[in-house]
Amino acid sequence: MEIDEVAARVIRTYWALLLVATVVPLVAVFLVMSGRTPPAAAQARIVVPGGAAAGAAGDNGVSAAVSTAKAFATGHDLLAKVIKDGRLDRDPDKVAKQIGVKGLGTSAVVELTVKDQDPDVALKLAQSVSAATVDGINTSNQSAIQSQLNQVGQQITALERQQATAAPGPATDRILTQLTDLRTSRSDLRSQLVTTGTASIAQPAIEAPKTDPTVMMTVVAGLGGLVLGILAAVVAEMARPTVPGQRRVARRLDVPLLGLAGGSPAETAALGRRVRLAARKAGAGQVAVVSAAGGPLPAELVSQIAQAVYGDGGRVVPAPDRSGLNGRGPSPERAGDDARGPAAPTPPPDEPPSTSVVRAGGRPVLTRESGEVASPADGPRPVEVRPLTLVHAFEDVDPGADTRFGIVAVAGPVTPVAGLESVRDLVAASGWPLLGVVATSRKIKG
């Protein structure tokens, strides 16, 4: 199955579902968001050196810096202390959900954003949280090295005291050697401390530009609804498969597409010629019209096809029911005007009314040859005799008749696969040839 056929099956059959699934959440979210005041936001920028960010490059370094800053900024203890020191009436867990951190390019500078309904509170929180985050990062990065430095310093102080009170000798030499090693270690630790660096505030907290998320949220809701609608359409299509387009229906049935019913005069004439040619090729004297979607065809649609096949050789009129009326007033049946043949016989009273509103006599249709002018002196002019190919709705066909029928399937924009199977079953059961497919631009409603 081709991709374009899948898309056509989903769009043509379930376009209403897709439209509703897209518009309903879009309008609902727009109405909800338009009635809300977007929260204020404040931004601060901090530098996050050291640790994983110092040894990583590119996106990995940015990701490490962002993760480090967010881990400290959203900590419960840090936020609780900030809120307590600022005397703010806020919940630390809710404040943590309103904090966002993002990287700026490939640098170690990250942007920390805090949202709150009160602009002053948002600005105060951003300033306090950024400062506390910097202190927390510095403490974390330098605490281990600083602890080692303190231990080394205490050892050096103790040995210097021993050296001052010790007498010259081997003991003093050992003390000097230990002091030398400890001082070397202290120098290395200080170098590591300098290399590690310290976090700092690159930009104090400021108010962020005001943004309205209504449009973005509305678009997201519409796209989400469209995706759900497509999924629902795919599931429905799997349960009840269809064939989009009349050309694909003809391809599935392995017959030609004969034309369009109810089209322009040129299209109608072309449809009639193709049906007559297909009937002649198959050796069928009459045509039975069936719906490719299953069920009976509308009487008006059968009449359109019959009128196209008859061309200028006959006038299609509604068939009377038992009372001589068909819902449109009395209408005598004729297979042509007086110049082309006598009226068709009226059905007996006990015959059920026709559902195809198409009846025509079996007499030949006489048409005067073009280019000849009648003259009283010339007498009767030669005429061309063309047998009339009768068109019936399948429901009006007499199964016991010896006439060989040709079947024409009528397909709308979308046709159920089950309808195609019913057409194949009809062809197999009757032994009649399938002449082709006639397209109609509207959905078939029997």
Side-chain angles (χ1 to χ4, degrees):
M1 185 179 298
E2 301 175 354
I3 298 298
D4 61 334
E5 181 175 349
V6 175
R9 288 168 62 178
V10 173
I11 294 175
R12 292 190 183 185
T13 308
Y14 304 98
W15 63 269
L17 172 63
L18 299 181
L19 181 62
V20 171
T22 303
V23 173
V24 169
L26 189 148
V27 173
V29 171
F30 177 79
L31 294 177
V32 172
M33 295 296 296
S34 61
R36 294 183 178 180
T37 302
Q43 297 175 343
R45 295 182 179 182
I46 60 178
V47 180
V48 187
D59 294 339
N60 293 330
V62 175
S63 178
V66 170
S67 300
T68 301
K70 189 170 185 179
F72 282 95
T74 57
H76 184 274
D77 294 339
L78 183 146
L79 291 177
K81 185 176 184 303
V82 167
I83 292 173
K84 182 179 179 181
D85 295 342
R87 298 179 180 179
L88 302 174
D89 185 15
R90 295 292 186 272
D91 184 1
D93 295 331
K94 293 183 178 180
V95 173
K97 296 178 180 180
Q98 300 299 322
I99 295 177
V101 181
K102 67 177 182 178
L104 299 176
T106 57
S107 66
V109 180
V110 298
E111 186 175 73
L112 187 146
T113 303
V114 181
K115 294 181 180 181
D116 194 273
Q117 294 296 332
D118 190 341
D120 296 334
V121 173
L123 185 61
K124 190 173 183 179
L125 282 173
Q127 185 65 42
S128 301
V129 171
S130 61
T133 300
V134 168
D135 293 339
I137 293 174
N138 289 335
T139 302
S140 175
N141 289 344
Q142 300 176 6
S143 60
I145 300 176
Q146 191 64 49
S147 177
Q148 293 180 14
L149 279 174
N150 293 336
Q151 293 179 3
V152 171
Q154 292 175 1
Q155 294 176 6
I156 291 175
T157 301
L159 289 175
E160 287 177 348
R161 290 176 182 175
Q162 293 179 11
Q163 182 184 13
T165 58
T172 303
D173 295 338
R174 287 195 301 270
I175 292 174
L176 291 174
T177 302
Q178 292 177 3
L179 284 173
T180 301
D181 294 339
L182 290 173
R183 286 167 181 163
T184 302
S185 299
R186 182 174 62 181
S187 177
D188 293 340
L189 290 173
R190 287 175 177 174
S191 299
Q192 293 179 19
L193 188 62
V194 173
T195 303
T196 301
T198 57
S200 60
I201 296 178
Q203 174 186 291
I206 59 173
E207 291 185 5
K210 294 183 179 180
T211 58
D212 189 359
T214 301
V215 176
M216 182 186 67
M217 295 299 296
T218 301
V219 173
V220 171
L223 292 177
L226 177 60
V227 171
L228 293 178
I230 292 176
L231 292 177
V234 170
V235 172
E237 183 65 23
M238 292 174 62
R240 185 178 179 272
T242 58
V243 180
Q246 300 87 346
R247 178 69 65 180
R248 291 187 176 92
V249 171
R251 193 184 308 165
R252 291 284 188 94
L253 295 175
D254 196 22
V255 292
L257 182 63
L258 300 176
L260 175 65
S264 64
E267 292 174 332
T268 300
L271 170 62
R273 286 193 296 269
R274 291 176 182 176
V275 172
R276 291 195 298 268
L277 287 173
R280 180 180 179 182
K281 177 181 178 181
Q286 301 188 38
V287 173
V289 184
V290 300
S291 172
L297 287 169
E300 294 79 6
L301 182 57
V302 179
S303 294
Q304 290 177 358
I305 299 174
Q307 190 171 11
V309 175
Y310 299 156
D312 61 353
R315 180 166 55 90
V316 180
V317 296
D321 56 18
R322 296 179 182 179
S323 61
L325 301 175
N326 62 356
R328 299 177 179 80
S331 53
E333 299 179 52
R334 298 183 62 85
D337 51 26
D338 294 339
R340 302 181 185 274
T346 303
D350 58 345
E351 181 180 343
S354 170
T355 60
S356 66
V357 306
V358 177
R359 291 178 182 273
R363 295 178 58 84
V365 175
L366 305 181
T367 57
R368 187 174 297 278
E369 293 180 348
S370 60
E372 296 188 0
V373 180
S375 172
D378 296 337
R381 307 303 300 169
V383 295
E384 176 186 1
V385 178
R386 175 167 63 85
L388 186 65
T389 303
L390 302 183
V391 178
H392 305 274
F394 176 72
E395 291 73 17
D396 294 338
V397 174
D398 181 9
D402 295 333
T403 306
R404 179 178 174 82
F405 284 85
I407 300 176
V408 171
V410 182
V414 178
T415 304
V417 173
L420 301 187
E421 295 300 329
S422 66
V423 173
R424 293 191 181 99
D425 293 341
L426 173 61
V427 172
S430 64
W432 297 338
L434 182 60
L435 304 181
V437 173
V438 173
T440 178
S441 58
R442 294 181 296 178
K443 184 178 180 181
I444 299 177
K445 294 181 180 180

